Amino acid sequence: MWARELVDSGYRVFGIDISEAMIDLSRKKVPEAEFRVGSLFEVEIPGCQAVTAVSEVLNYLFDAENEDLGLSRLFRRVHDALVPGGVFVFDVLGPGQVSPGDKTRGFGVGEDWAVLSEREEDVERVTMERRIVSFRKVGEHYRRDDEVHRVRLYDPSDLSAELERAGFRVQTMRSYADFPLAEGHAAFVARKPL
Ligand SMILES: C[S@@+](CC[C@H](N)C(=O)[O-])C[C@H]1O[C@@H](n2cnc3c(N)ncnc32)[C@H](O)[C@@H]1O
């Protein structure tokens, strides 16, 4: 877990997630860190050396702020919070994963679980809807969960330009060190100049 790696490397960690369940889990796994339930579009970002948002965090449209304002205000807030030389590291999913009018279906199975998914893109709004149905064995029976994710899709070159406008120097990547990103994703290291 990323927060665990950071704490073990000597960093003080402050984590935020809009999902209460995710924060409960994080508090259990990394009690040394501080976690809060809330939106990254509203939280006051404390002065820091690095801000990270790993695994599509910025794509989600769970908070209407993201729907209305896009990412430029967030980029400026992160830039203000970082020390000179500090970094903002994140990844996003881009458009064009599903052909217009199509639905892409997928599944994954393990010994005692199965996950089914269906994805559809809205070309005009540059968004994707992802329906996920998961089954997990609990005792004799399987527990079913249904989720619908709505995400905005970002063109990496548009985001690089937006980051530069906020004052960052930008590098894009297809992997986090040895961990390749899933198809359609781009990662960014945006550095606040010294
Ligand atoms: C794919 S998960 C990645 C979670 C974690 N970073 C990891 O790598 O395990 C995306 C997370 O972003 C959170 N999220 C989405 N929109 C958010 C927002 N506006 N503010 C805070 N968290 C948000 C979701 O609740 C979800 O836990």
Side-chain angles (χ1 to χ4, degrees):
M1 190 185 189
W2 182 221
R4 164 58 55 211
E5 296 289 330
L6 289 169
V7 164
D8 291 349
S9 304
Y11 289 98
R12 247 181 85 196
V13 172
F14 170 63
I16 181 145
D17 199 295
I18 207 161
S19 151
E20 213 167 314
M22 206 65 161
I23 291 294
D24 282 348
L25 194 66
S26 307
R27 284 188 179 131
K28 279 192 193 108
K29 290 200 166 194
V30 194
E32 304 94 317
E34 184 189 341
F35 293 104
R36 194 178 304 164
V37 178
S39 174
L40 63 100
F41 293 97
E42 281 155 20
V43 68
E44 190 179 324
I45 307 169
C48 59
Q49 289 171 304
V51 174
T52 71
V54 173
S55 193
E56 295 185 359
V57 174
L58 304 190
N59 286 106
Y60 283 86
L61 291 172
F62 290 156
D63 183 342
E65 282 273 338
N66 192 9
E67 187 105 32
D68 298 341
L69 300 171
L71 298 180
S72 56
R73 196 173 80 92
L74 175 72
F75 290 171
R76 285 197 304 276
R77 285 171 51 232
V78 172
H79 188 272
D80 286 349
L82 287 171
V83 297
V87 287
F88 179 28
V89 180
F90 65 93
D91 58 87
V92 289
L93 177 61
Q97 312 311 309
V98 183
S99 312
D102 265 4
K103 285 184 182 175
T104 302
R105 296 199 169 103
F107 72 92
V109 285
E111 183 108 330
D112 54 0
W113 61 269
V115 177
L116 318 173
S117 65
E118 189 173 70
R119 298 180 295 160
E120 188 174 13
E121 279 189 37
D122 182 328
V123 177
E124 255 168 50
R125 302 182 76 186
V126 205
T127 57
M128 176 193 278
E129 190 168 280
R130 203 159 41 191
R131 188 170 160 231
I132 299 170
V133 182
S134 57
F135 296 88
R136 184 167 55 91
K137 197 164 190 189
V138 182
E140 287 290 290
H141 303 286
Y142 278 84
R143 178 172 293 166
R144 172 178 166 158
D145 272 312
D146 286 69
E147 289 182 28
V148 177
H149 295 179
R150 252 186 15 95
V151 293
R152 178 175 305 294
L153 303 167
Y154 293 104
D155 183 320
S157 48
D158 290 348
L159 285 196
S160 291
E162 196 73 63
L163 285 161
E164 279 165 9
R165 274 196 289 279
F168 287 104
R169 300 236 171 85
V170 186
Q171 183 196 343
T172 53
M173 307 178 299
R174 289 282 309 124
S175 67
Y176 285 123
D178 293 339
F179 298 99
L181 299 169
E183 206 183 331
H185 291 74
F188 295 76
V189 177
R191 187 175 293 278
K192 178 169 174 170
L194 286 168

